[in-house]
Amino acid sequence: MAQLRIALAQVNPTVGDLDGNRRLVVAAAREAADAGAHLAVLPEMVVTGYPVEDLALRKSFVSASIKATRALAADLAEAGLGELPTVVGYLSRREDQSAPGASPGQPAGAPQNAVAVLHQGRMAITSAKHHLPNYGVFDEFRNFVPGDTLPVVRVRGIDVALAVCEDLWQEGGPVTAARAARAGLLVSLNGSPYERHKDDVRLELCQRRAREIGAALAYVNMVGGQDDLVFEGDSLVVDAEGDLVARAPQFTDTLLVADLELPEAVDHPEDPDRVDGLRIVRRTLTATPVAPYPPDENTVTPRPDPLSDTGEVYQALVTGLRDYVVKNGFRSVLVAVSGGIDSALTATIAVDALGPDSVHGLLLPSEHSSEHSVSDAEDLAERQGFAARTAAIGPMVAAFERAAADTGAPLAGLAAENLQARVRGTLLMGLSNQEGHLVLATGNKSEAATGYSTLYGDSVGGFAPIKDCWKTLVWELARWRNDEAARQGRTPPIPENSITKPPSAELSPDQLDSDSLPDYAMLDAVLDAYIGTDKGEAELIFAGYEPALVRRVIRLVDRAEYKRRQSAPGTKISSRNLSRDRRVPITNRWTV
């Protein structure tokens, strides 16, 4: 057996910031070298950020990525880190038009999701992702062509095979080839987005694959937010028996260093050089094992109980909002605080993500706003220390109503209610333009699903932090955040009345959400089944839901698709959000 100290750097790259991402890699490699690592590994497409989506189709971007990766190899050497093999993901192109596995008609130069080992100032070996996911948030068949090699590098006398993300999730391909190559370690580079209720499938997958290959497995994942996706890290190492050896924290830039005992590589001339459609390509970087040394104790960061993961979800929402604001160059956010639970949770997430000085509240009471709504909103701002202003919308609404009446079409009923929301939205966007704030939409997933929002009114905003949270989860998150504050001896950030009072849009006298929508617990259950699992009307009724409720909910969801197409992005935390994961036509007469 031989020893190897591996460093997994879960970092937070930004799409398109090739120079900044290069600096991230050099800093991580420096930290790895200082920790005595023999091999440093960074996430999938760390050089470009991930996912790059249709940027992959721009030849200029592909060329810039290749150039940046070559420059990164030189950067490492110039920094005195050239002898540390550093594995990075980047965007490359297929050079050989006749490469096995290529689709007919795809030319040489087609983009690839690639991996490179940087050593001694050069790209010592390169390869590309073989299995291209095309489900959920992934659309990689659109952007990439598959790779046809399994790279195996010999580092300190140990054969290390490399795979990229989906290559680990699918049967065959790189997994089968890694076993045939007798690798002592399989390293997997990942850009795996966070989802709630995965029930630790990532760890279970790594354990299963390690046992299949008969080798240890190191899994590195990125952290941070990218548009509506958030990555939680959770990098880990398991041994050949599948036992957990090391694990990094979630949602934190960190370097996970692990000392491993692995089988020393032995050449077998009779071994195949092509397995399951992949060529096994080998490079020797350092053939001699390291001298024996006393290993450090590996870190295993505990994960929360998957049945009580509310805090994990909250961390994801904070991370997603923080990176959306920071990476897009905003300095502050503006939230319409109504005294209700949705705006209270949105403002709290914003304060936790950005600090109170970067959060601005706006109270927009109308003639239908209750006294407690105003006082609860003021209490929220005082508890958290963010600035809040008040602009009563009554005179503005009256002016619009007079203008509408002058056209011969006075507004009444729903149109009058929606006018109030649109006046609020107009004022929010005006202040956004004037003062440079990013407006945060405060709508939740239940409202977005059923269309219970006013287009160009309460739906306005550049980002919607709780867009993927059912209303019942909004309450759960608010209670968790208050309980967490109390546990730390701090003032709960959300007024209790905002959590316990019946929800209301307050656009007409004594209005409640329950006037227009079913009870949220029942509504969310039906929505989750209809949207989350694509169950149709008959299946939902067979599952025990009341037929009239099912038909009503389906009608609400299907009629609101045009609204959702115009909504702001928001952090994805579920396995099926209302944008990337679910694509249905707006014009649609299928209702069964």
Side-chain angles (χ1 to χ4, degrees):
M1 300 292 281
Q3 289 179 281
L4 185 75
R5 179 170 292 176
I6 186 171
L8 306 180
Q10 54 180 49
V11 296
N12 184 358
T14 299
V15 167
D17 185 8
L18 276 61
D19 291 339
N21 295 340
R22 277 168 55 190
R23 291 191 291 271
L24 274 182
V25 174
V26 173
R30 168 63 65 193
E31 187 178 357
D34 291 345
H38 308 121
L39 177 66
V41 187
L42 289 101
E44 179 178 12
M45 296 196 77
V46 68
V47 174
T48 57
Y50 181 81
V52 297
E53 299 181 315
D54 279 7
L55 287 177
L57 305 180
R58 298 189 190 179
K59 293 181 179 179
S60 61
F61 189 60
V62 178
S63 296
S65 169
I66 296 168
K67 181 179 178 181
T69 307
R70 289 173 179 155
L72 177 57
D75 292 342
L76 292 168
E78 291 172 9
L81 303 168
E83 294 303 321
L84 174 65
T86 301
V87 186
V88 299
Y90 73 111
L91 176 64
S92 187
R93 64 170 66 95
R94 194 184 71 239
E95 302 295 348
D96 180 5
Q97 186 171 358
S98 61
S103 299
Q106 290 176 330
Q112 291 188 308
N113 182 336
V115 57
V117 181
L118 311 181
H119 187 240
Q120 295 179 339
R122 63 189 181 91
M123 298 165 69
I125 191 170
T126 63
S127 183
K129 191 174 186 175
H130 177 67
H131 292 298
L132 300 177
N134 200 51
Y135 56 85
V137 303
F138 303 107
D139 202 7
E140 294 204 355
F141 273 124
R142 174 185 177 90
N143 300 126
F144 305 120
V145 295
D148 68 322
T149 63
L150 176 79
V152 179
V153 292
R154 187 162 296 179
V155 179
R156 303 290 182 160
I158 296 164
D159 280 346
V160 180
L162 305 174
V164 181
C165 203
E166 191 72 9
D167 290 341
L168 195 67
W169 290 85
Q170 299 296 326
E171 304 290 339
V175 171
T176 301
R179 181 178 181 86
R182 304 178 194 258
L185 173 67
L186 175 63
V187 168
S188 175
L189 289 70
N190 297 268
S192 179
Y194 171 78
E195 286 180 10
R196 191 184 189 195
H197 293 325
K198 275 191 173 180
D199 295 331
D200 228 355
V201 294
R202 179 179 293 136
L203 173 60
E204 293 171 3
L205 172 73
C206 291
Q207 291 172 321
R208 184 169 70 253
R209 292 292 186 240
R211 289 190 288 264
E212 290 174 9
I213 299 167
L217 190 152
Y219 177 106
V220 63
N221 192 24
M222 64 177 58
V223 293
Q226 170 61 33
D227 294 346
D228 55 351
L229 300 181
V230 64
F231 302 88
E232 87 268 35
D234 191 31
S235 303
L236 57 90
V237 181
V238 297
D239 64 20
E241 286 73 43
D243 293 329
L244 184 62
V245 171
R247 194 167 201 174
Q250 293 176 287
F251 305 107
T252 303
D253 290 41
T254 193
L255 188 77
L256 180 67
V257 179
D259 277 315
L260 307 175
E261 284 198 9
L262 303 170
E264 187 174 345
V266 177
D267 291 325
H268 296 272
E270 72 280 6
D271 283 352
D273 59 5
R274 183 177 293 277
V275 175
D276 206 15
L278 295 176
R279 291 184 295 114
I280 298 174
V281 180
R282 299 178 183 269
R283 295 285 186 277
T284 297
L285 303 183
T286 47
T288 305
V290 297
Y293 64 91
D296 291 339
E297 183 176 353
N298 293 330
T299 298
V300 179
T301 305
R303 281 286 304 273
D305 182 346
L307 298 179
S308 58
D309 63 350
T310 312
E312 177 184 276
V313 173
Y314 191 85
Q315 270 190 292
L317 297 174
V318 168
T319 301
L321 174 58
R322 178 190 298 123
D323 276 0
Y324 190 87
V325 170
V326 172
K327 290 182 178 182
N328 286 291
F330 292 99
R331 293 173 295 177
S332 56
V333 297
L334 179 63
V335 186
V337 285
S338 67
I341 187 60
D342 294 324
S343 65
L345 180 62
T346 299
T348 304
I349 292 168
V351 169
D352 286 342
L354 306 168
D357 291 344
S358 296
V359 178
H360 297 262
L362 188 61
L363 284 69
L364 297 162
S366 74
E367 62 175 314
H368 303 301
S369 297
S370 61
E371 183 178 338
H372 64 72
S373 291
V374 175
S375 62
D376 288 342
E378 292 172 338
D379 187 15
L380 176 80
E382 184 177 350
R383 285 167 180 255
Q384 302 193 39
F386 63 84
R389 295 170 283 179
T390 300
I393 65 170
M396 291 177 274
V397 171
F400 273 97
E401 288 177 334
R402 286 194 299 271
D406 289 345
T407 69
L411 303 182
L414 184 61
E417 292 183 23
N418 286 345
L419 173 62
Q420 298 169 63
R422 291 190 175 115
V423 166
R424 287 172 170 143
T426 298
L427 189 54
L428 284 165
M429 294 311 299
L431 290 175
S432 170
N433 292 156
Q434 179 65 31
E435 300 177 350
H437 311 301
L438 172 69
V439 175
L440 299 184
T442 61
N444 61 64
K445 191 174 185 177
S446 306
E447 293 173 346
T450 57
Y452 195 66
S453 63
T454 301
L455 201 59
Y456 320 123
D458 53 312
S459 65
V460 302
F463 195 75
I466 60 172
K467 179 181 181 178
D468 200 24
C469 300
W470 299 122
K471 183 75 168 189
T472 47
L473 178 57
V474 170
W475 278 310
E476 183 183 337
L477 288 163
R479 293 189 181 98
W480 176 89
R481 184 61 182 85
N482 275 5
D483 289 346
E484 185 67 10
R487 186 184 66 81
Q488 297 174 5
R490 299 178 179 177
T491 301
I494 300 175
E496 183 65 20
N497 196 46
S498 294
I499 299 176
T500 57
K501 66 185 176 185
S504 169
E506 294 192 330
L507 298 175
S508 62
D510 302 318
Q511 184 182 43
L512 297 174
D513 287 7
S514 55
D515 299 336
S516 305
L517 294 175
D519 173 76
Y520 275 114
M522 182 60 69
L523 173 64
D524 286 355
V526 177
L527 288 172
D528 197 37
Y530 182 54
I531 292 170
T533 62
D534 276 326
K535 285 185 171 65
E537 178 184 314
E539 293 170 291
L540 291 169
I541 294 171
F542 182 77
Y545 295 109
E546 201 271 323
L549 172 66
V550 168
R551 296 186 184 102
R552 182 184 176 195
V553 170
I554 289 176
R555 184 171 64 253
L556 288 170
V557 172
D558 291 352
R559 290 179 62 185
E561 183 60 32
Y562 77 100
K563 289 187 178 183
R564 290 189 290 274
R565 294 288 183 94
Q566 302 178 65
S567 64
T571 303
K572 168 183 159 66
I573 55 95
S574 72
S575 60
R576 197 93 189 276
N577 71 357
L578 291 169
S579 52
R580 287 178 183 257
D581 293 320
R582 183 177 185 269
R583 307 174 196 181
V584 296
I586 296 173
T587 306
N588 172 26
R589 294 185 181 179
W590 182 258
T591 60
V592 179

